[in-house]
Amino acid sequence: MEKSRKWKLFLGAGILAVYAFASLLAFWRMPERAAAWSEDTVPKRIALTFDDGPYPNLTRQLLDGLRERGVKASFFVVGENAKAYPDVIETMYEDGHLIGNHTYHHVQLTEVGEEKFKEEIRMTNAVLSEITGETPTFIRPPYGSWNKKYEEELNLFPVLWTVDPLDWCCNSSQCVYQRVVTTVKENDIILLHDCYETSVTAALSIVDSLQAQGYEFVTVDELLLE
Ligand code: NI
């Protein structure tokens, strides 16, 4: 064989080897790159829920803050409060938040007997559907006490929570904020009450902090109905 031909063959084989090695390397690293991509682009979802309202000033303050941040939350309202402040419910509805039932008088449902159990829920649904034109499909039973037996008849789906900072026993918004941000993870349902100024302030700081970490706030139906 001629010297230059040999040299060409040698060069060709070398290029081929480098190419094969690079392809192999790219193939090996594919799952790693796919994982990094999904981490960067698919947001971690989380739900903020507020019980016991509406309270005219605090709930409005909260709604303003959520609107500024483009966040949708879920409100489990007490029927008698909704009746007293229908305009707050209207804003809540127009802003796209989920509105759920939290009984009419904030009763522990399993303690009141079947008739009252159903009445507390129906009265609240009636008030809410009169204001928004929509009947709630979710209930957060006060104290988490529920009886599955009536679920189908009432056509309501109970929603509990996965993170409870016990905001009612925090004397500062920092306390509520810390308890939430240090424990929260993807798909959590956070329980707060919009009747405390500390919780309203904390909720907005929680949103700012978790949005910066790539969380997306959704209503509970999006987490539960999939
Ligand atoms: Ni409650």
Side-chain angles (χ1 to χ4, degrees):
M1 212 184 270
E2 207 181 307
K3 215 177 184 179
S4 74
R5 202 164 162 215
K6 239 188 197 168
W7 175 242
K8 271 185 200 155
L9 261 172
F10 178 71
L11 197 70
I15 289 169
L16 230 111
V18 168
Y19 180 75
F21 182 71
S23 310
L24 209 67
L25 200 69
F27 183 72
W28 273 337
R29 295 206 49 187
M30 228 152 62
E32 205 179 300
R33 290 214 319 252
W37 180 82
S38 70
E39 241 168 63
D40 288 350
T41 55
V42 178
K44 297 173 278 189
R45 298 190 308 170
I46 201 159
L48 271 180
T49 67
F50 299 94
D51 286 8
D52 299 2
Y55 285 82
N57 297 335
L58 282 174
T59 309
R60 280 217 174 274
Q61 194 182 313
L62 175 61
L63 289 172
D64 290 346
L66 294 176
R67 196 181 312 114
E68 278 167 26
R69 291 161 175 81
V71 164
K72 305 275 182 269
S74 306
F75 289 85
F76 294 95
V77 302
V78 168
E80 58 182 343
N81 292 357
K83 178 97 181 157
Y85 309 110
D87 50 318
V88 184
I89 298 290
E90 247 170 64
T91 307
M92 214 177 255
Y93 184 73
E94 282 162 10
D95 284 357
H97 300 294
L98 182 142
I99 303 173
N101 194 316
H102 197 50
T103 76
Y104 201 85
H105 300 102
H106 202 275
V107 295
Q108 184 159 353
L109 287 165
T110 49
E111 298 294 311
V112 294
E114 179 177 351
E115 201 178 314
K116 189 95 177 121
F117 186 112
K118 293 176 182 171
E119 188 188 273
E120 281 283 328
I121 290 168
R122 285 186 174 138
M123 278 169 71
T124 307
N125 268 7
V127 168
L128 292 173
S129 67
E130 199 178 311
I131 303 168
T132 66
E134 217 175 275
T135 306
T137 46
F138 293 92
I139 181 166
R140 170 161 289 152
Y143 318 103
S145 93
W146 180 242
N147 191 336
K148 253 186 116 47
K149 205 160 72 178
Y150 312 126
E151 210 170 285
E152 206 171 318
E153 181 190 338
L154 292 164
N155 196 24
L156 278 170
F157 193 78
V159 179
L160 297 180
W161 54 85
T162 58
V163 175
D164 179 5
L166 306 175
D167 60 340
W168 49 271
C169 74
C170 271
N171 55 18
S172 69
S173 60
Q174 189 60 23
C175 161
V176 184
Y177 171 84
Q178 280 299 339
R179 287 181 181 180
V180 173
V181 296
T182 52
T183 56
V184 91
K185 60 185 185 319
E186 192 170 2
N187 295 323
D188 266 338
I189 297 179
I190 304 165
L191 168 63
L192 292 169
H193 298 84
D194 48 330
C195 52
Y196 304 111
E197 187 159 18
T198 42
S199 299
V200 169
T201 308
L204 300 177
S205 306
I206 290 166
V207 167
D208 291 338
S209 163
L210 297 185
Q211 276 184 334
Q213 290 175 46
Y215 280 96
E216 184 196 359
F217 289 87
V218 297
T219 48
V220 287
D221 52 335
E222 292 193 54
L223 287 188
L224 299 171
L225 301 180
E226 276 186 5

